[in-house]
Amino acid sequence: MNLKLIYIVFFGSVFGCFAQNDSLQNPYFKSYNDNITTSIYYLDTSNSFQIASGTQNSETFLNLTPNRREQIGFNLNYKIIDISLGFAPKFLGGNKGDSKSKHFNFNTRFYYKKWMQSFTYINQKGFYISDDNITAQLPNMRTMKIGGSTSYVLNDKFSFKTLVSQNEWQTKSSGSFIPTFSFYYTNIDLNTLDTPPGDIYVFTLAPSYFYNFVISNRVLIGAGVALGVGINDINGDTSALYQGDFNLKLAYNNDRFFAFASMNATSFAQDDKVSPRLNDNIVTLKLSAGYRFDPPKKVKEVYDKVNQKIGL
C-alpha cells in the first residue's frame, strides 16, 4: 500500500469552551461553533534548515529539506472536538526518499478571552542536503521540534480564529496589533558516528499586526506580519536571533460551504556574525474545502450529557 498513514489526531481542550464566547453577540464576528464542520485538504508543510558559513562576500549555504512534506486529508470538527486524518502519498511531487522517511505534524490553538496559545509538534525522519551543485540523501537524519507561542489580541473587533479555522467568520473588516512570545525546542540528529545530536532553544518576542479585509459577505483576505528578536541557544552557545512571520489567507464562506487557501511562514535566523550558523524555517501551504451541517439530534444529546458530566 503506497499511502503512508501520517497522523490520526483526536483532542478536546477545556480551553475551547472559553474561546471568544462574546463572538455570538459581536457584529464583527459570526460563529459556527454549533455546527459540525467537515473538510478535505491538501497540506504542504515542513521544518527545513539552512547552514550558512563564510564571510558576507563569499558565503555558502547548505539546505536541509525533509523528504516528506505533502499530505492530503480529512478533518471533522464539532465544538471542542477535532479529528484529523492525513496521508503522504508518494505520487505527490514533494514526497521524496524511501519508505523509511516519516513526517508527523500536530498543531492546535487554545483561546481564553483575548489570550491565544498555540502548540506545535513536528517529528521528521529522512532529509536531503543540497546546494547550488549537489543533492544527496540523508535517510537517517531525524528532527523533532516542540513549542509554541503566547499572544494577546488587543482589538475586540478582530477575529483571529477566522485566519486559523472555519468556526468563525469576520463580517466587517478589522485588524489588531498582537504582541507574541515564542519558545521552541529542536533536536537535530544526523545519526552518524562522528556527529552528536544537537539541542536548539529559541526564545523570541515579536510585535505583529493582522488584518481581515472583508471584500464581500462571502469573500475575505486575511494577512499578518511579525518581526521579532530573541535568543538562540545551540548546545550551550548563545547568540542573537531574528524572527520573521508572514501569514496570508484567501477565503470563501457561506453558512454551509467554505473554501480557502492559506500560507504561513516562520523563519528564525541567527546573527550573521556567527559562522557557521543555522537558520530554521517552518512553511505551511494549505488548500481546503468543506461543508457545515447541523449535528444529528442524538449526537447533540450525547455531547451535551458528556459536557455536563465533565463540567465544561
Side-chain angles (χ1 to χ4, degrees):
M1 182 176 181
N2 61 359
L3 293 182
K4 301 301 178 183
L5 180 63
I6 295 301
Y7 61 88
I8 302 176
V9 177
F10 175 85
F11 66 89
S13 167
V14 295
F15 296 99
C17 61
F18 300 115
Q20 292 187 345
N21 289 327
D22 58 339
S23 67
L24 296 175
Q25 290 79 38
N26 194 321
Y28 280 78
F29 307 157
K30 187 169 186 177
S31 175
Y32 296 101
N33 202 42
D34 291 329
N35 295 123
I36 292 178
T37 301
T38 60
S39 63
I40 56 174
Y41 63 82
Y42 161 82
L43 183 68
D44 184 337
T45 183
S46 66
N47 182 194
S48 60
F49 303 88
Q50 184 184 73
I51 301 172
S53 60
T55 63
Q56 194 171 30
N57 295 329
S58 60
E59 226 170 12
T60 60
F61 298 94
L62 285 177
N63 298 301
L64 297 167
T65 307
N67 289 329
R68 290 287 190 267
R69 291 185 359 224
E70 296 186 69
Q71 304 170 22
I72 53 175
F74 170 81
N75 177 262
L76 183 145
N77 180 276
Y78 178 55
K79 293 186 181 293
I80 63 172
I81 297 172
D82 198 323
I83 303 170
S84 295
L85 175 65
F87 301 87
K90 286 186 178 180
F91 64 78
L92 294 176
N95 293 333
K96 306 177 184 298
D98 58 29
S99 60
K100 295 181 180 179
S101 296
K102 307 293 181 184
H103 181 105
F104 181 93
N105 187 307
F106 174 75
N107 294 278
T108 189
R109 286 180 172 84
F110 309 129
Y111 302 87
Y112 178 70
K113 296 183 178 179
K114 291 186 176 184
W115 290 95
M116 177 180 63
Q117 177 66 49
S118 71
F119 175 81
T120 296
Y121 175 78
I122 303 173
N123 198 318
Q124 302 172 129
K125 179 186 177 184
F127 281 69
Y128 63 93
I129 187 169
S130 62
D131 63 10
D132 292 337
N133 301 310
I134 64 166
T135 297
Q137 284 288 329
L138 299 174
N140 296 318
M141 178 178 171
R142 287 180 175 270
T143 68
M144 187 276 291
K145 181 185 294 294
I146 186 170
S149 61
T150 303
S151 304
Y152 187 78
V153 181
L154 291 174
N155 188 358
D156 291 333
K157 298 176 181 179
F158 176 75
S159 168
F160 192 87
K161 291 179 71 178
T162 296
L163 285 177
V164 298
S165 74
Q166 291 303 125
N167 283 350
E168 196 165 87
W169 182 255
Q170 187 96 44
T171 55
K172 297 181 180 180
S173 297
S174 183
S176 181
F177 177 73
I178 305 176
T180 300
F181 170 76
S182 299
F183 163 76
Y184 289 96
Y185 163 73
T186 305
N187 177 265
I188 298 179
D189 189 353
L190 296 179
N191 274 311
T192 60
L193 294 177
D194 57 344
T195 307
D199 294 316
I200 305 171
Y201 297 88
V202 167
F203 307 86
T204 61
L205 183 63
S208 62
Y209 186 79
F210 289 82
Y211 192 85
N212 287 329
F213 176 58
V214 179
I215 299 175
S216 68
N217 290 337
R218 296 185 177 181
V219 179
L220 67 74
I221 296 175
V225 63
L227 297 173
V229 295
I231 297 173
N232 187 78
D233 182 302
I234 302 179
N235 291 339
D237 295 328
T238 61
S239 62
L241 185 76
Y242 304 99
Q243 177 184 354
D245 286 7
F246 178 72
N247 298 266
L248 182 65
K249 182 175 185 178
L250 173 62
Y252 171 88
N253 180 80
N254 63 38
D255 289 342
R256 295 300 182 188
F257 175 78
F258 63 88
F260 68 85
S262 65
M263 193 276 286
N264 312 102
T266 300
S267 297
F268 299 103
Q270 279 188 276
D271 193 308
D272 59 10
K273 295 179 182 178
V274 178
S275 183
R277 61 185 183 275
L278 183 68
N279 300 327
D280 187 343
N281 304 288
I282 307 171
V283 179
T284 299
L285 171 67
K286 188 172 186 179
L287 307 175
S288 181
Y291 187 79
R292 304 184 190 94
F293 57 92
D294 297 329
K297 185 176 180 181
K298 189 64 177 179
V299 171
K300 189 175 185 306
E301 289 176 355
V302 171
Y303 180 90
D304 290 341
K305 286 180 180 179
V306 174
N307 195 26
Q308 291 174 1
K309 287 183 178 180
I310 62 178
L312 294 183

